[in-house]
């Protein structure tokens, strides 16, 4: 009898369980189950984070959500773009400044060249006005028969080295007249000036030196030609022009020979140049 009373509730329980199993799960219960699964996943992640901090003893870095990460990445790229734009703007401003400086320097050089050309022209006019003579040269004679330009120059130079200044003067004068466009014509004018200085024709010598150094050639004889011009101006009682010429000598030919620099210092003292 007691055994029968125990079997009855057990049978009823089995029947009820079978009935529940056969009844389909409510949709709301399915959503609740999914929520529970997500919560369990979150709990597992939290446990993992806690255990990570406990085991490593270091602060736990929790990565931001995907949306926050993307926003931070966009912000970083914008910051990089702003820095690039700032650098580009700075480079552009610097380039504009450099271009403006280059333009100013070019304008200054043009003005200086014009000023130097005017100075040479004034020196030439003053030297010629001292005697009222024309530039050294005269009518163009025919070159020596059978002589080339190089031979005519060499012959005149040999005459000067031999101390025959009259022959040298005539030869260089003829050379300048006949071969005025030759590459050695400026040097011929320099040596012609030397012969004129030797016989005291300082005005003609000054004109010849000025023609020789027009354009400030970078040659071995050019510094001496400028010095000789200053000495001719001193002889013509033009100390101010001589001092100006000596200043150009120091500026244009800072590496002139010791001999030229020593003679230039003597000329400055003779002309009583300031500085």
């Amino acid at each position: 009898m007691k055994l029968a009373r125990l079997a009855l509730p057990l049978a009823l329980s089995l029947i009820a369980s079978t009935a529940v199993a056969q009844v389909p799960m409510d949709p709301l219960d399915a959503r609740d189950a999914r929520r529970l699964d997500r919560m369990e996943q979150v709990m597992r992640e939290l446990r993992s984070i806690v255990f990570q901090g406990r085991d490593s003893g270091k602060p736990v870095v929790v990565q931001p959500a995907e949306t926050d990460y993307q926003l931070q990445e966009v912000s970083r790229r914008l910051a990089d773009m702003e820095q690039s734009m700032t650098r580009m703007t700075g480079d552009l401003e610097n380039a504009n400044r450099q271009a403006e400086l280059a333009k100013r320097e070019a304008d200054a050089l043009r003005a200086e060249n014009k000023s130097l050309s005017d100075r040479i022209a004034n020196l030439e006019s003053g030297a010629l006005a001292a005697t009222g003579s024309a530039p050294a040269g005269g009518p163009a004679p025919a070159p020596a028969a059978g002589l080339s330009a190089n031979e005519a120059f060499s012959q005149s130079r040999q005459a000067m080295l031999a101390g025959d200044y009259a022959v040298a003067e005539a030869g260089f004068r003829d050379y300048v007249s006949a071969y005025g466009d030759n590459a050695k014509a400026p040097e011929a004018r320099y040596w012609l000036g030397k012969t004129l200085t030797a016989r005291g024709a300082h005005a003609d010598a000054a004109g010849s030196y000025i023609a020789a150094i027009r354009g400030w050639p970078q040659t071995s004889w050019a510094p001496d030609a400028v010095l000789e011009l200053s000495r001719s101006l001193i002889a013509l009682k033009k100390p101010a022009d001589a001092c100006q010429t000596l200043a150009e000598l120091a500026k244009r030919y800072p590496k002139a020979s010791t001999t030229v620099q020593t003679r230039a210092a003597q000329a400055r003292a003779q002309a009583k140049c300031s500085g």
Side-chain angles (χ1 to χ4, degrees):
M1 188 66 178
K2 184 178 180 180
L3 183 59
R5 284 198 300 269
L6 292 173
L8 181 59
L10 179 59
L12 292 175
S13 175
L14 290 174
I15 293 170
S17 298
T18 303
V20 170
Q22 292 177 354
V23 176
M25 183 179 289
D26 186 88
L28 182 60
D29 294 337
R31 287 194 297 271
D32 291 340
R34 285 194 294 271
R35 279 195 215 100
L36 287 173
D37 290 340
R38 284 196 296 270
M39 289 177 65
E40 289 178 356
Q41 183 179 358
V42 170
M43 290 298 294
R44 285 194 298 271
E45 291 176 356
L46 288 174
R47 283 196 298 273
S48 176
I49 291 171
V50 170
F51 292 153
Q52 176 186 349
R54 185 193 65 186
D55 297 339
S56 63
K58 298 179 181 179
V60 178
V61 179
V62 181
Q63 296 294 335
E66 183 67 18
T67 302
D68 293 340
Y69 175 77
Q70 291 177 352
L71 289 175
Q72 290 181 3
E73 184 67 14
V74 170
S75 298
R76 184 186 64 78
R77 292 181 181 178
L78 287 175
D80 290 343
M81 291 176 64
E82 289 178 355
Q83 292 179 358
S84 298
M85 290 294 294
T86 301
R87 286 194 298 270
M88 291 174 63
T89 302
D91 292 342
L92 182 59
E93 291 177 352
N94 186 55
N96 289 336
R97 284 195 297 270
Q98 293 296 329
E100 182 64 23
L101 288 175
K103 181 177 180 300
R104 292 179 183 176
E105 290 177 357
D107 292 342
L109 287 174
R110 282 194 292 268
E112 181 181 2
N113 287 336
K114 184 179 184 304
S115 176
L116 291 174
S117 298
D118 293 342
R119 290 178 190 175
I120 291 178
N122 291 336
L123 290 173
E124 185 174 16
S125 299
L128 297 178
T131 59
S133 61
L147 294 181
S148 65
N150 288 339
E151 291 171 340
F153 183 94
S154 179
Q155 188 179 77
S156 301
R157 185 79 176 89
Q158 289 297 325
M160 186 168 184
L161 291 174
D164 193 347
Y165 293 110
V167 173
E169 178 184 341
F172 283 124
R173 195 183 295 276
D174 292 347
Y175 183 94
V176 169
S177 299
Y179 305 108
D181 295 333
N182 192 279
K184 293 185 73 67
E187 185 178 358
R189 290 186 171 92
Y190 160 65
W191 291 116
L192 175 59
K194 284 279 196 179
T195 64
L196 293 168
T197 297
R199 68 178 178 85
H202 298 297
D204 286 346
S208 187
Y209 291 133
I210 289 172
I213 64 173
R214 193 178 300 277
W216 307 104
Q218 297 298 316
T219 63
S220 60
W221 52 264
D224 187 68
V226 178
L227 173 61
E228 290 296 335
L229 172 59
S230 70
R231 288 162 52 87
S232 295
L233 292 170
I234 292 173
L236 292 170
K237 311 294 186 189
K238 292 181 175 293
D241 291 339
C243 290
Q244 185 178 11
T245 302
L246 290 167
E248 290 298 331
L249 169 61
K251 179 180 179 180
R252 295 289 175 175
Y253 305 105
K255 297 182 179 180
S257 68
T258 303
T259 301
V260 169
Q261 293 184 18
T262 300
R263 293 172 60 215
Q266 295 171 349
R268 278 192 291 271
Q270 186 178 358
K272 297 181 171 59
C273 300
S274 60

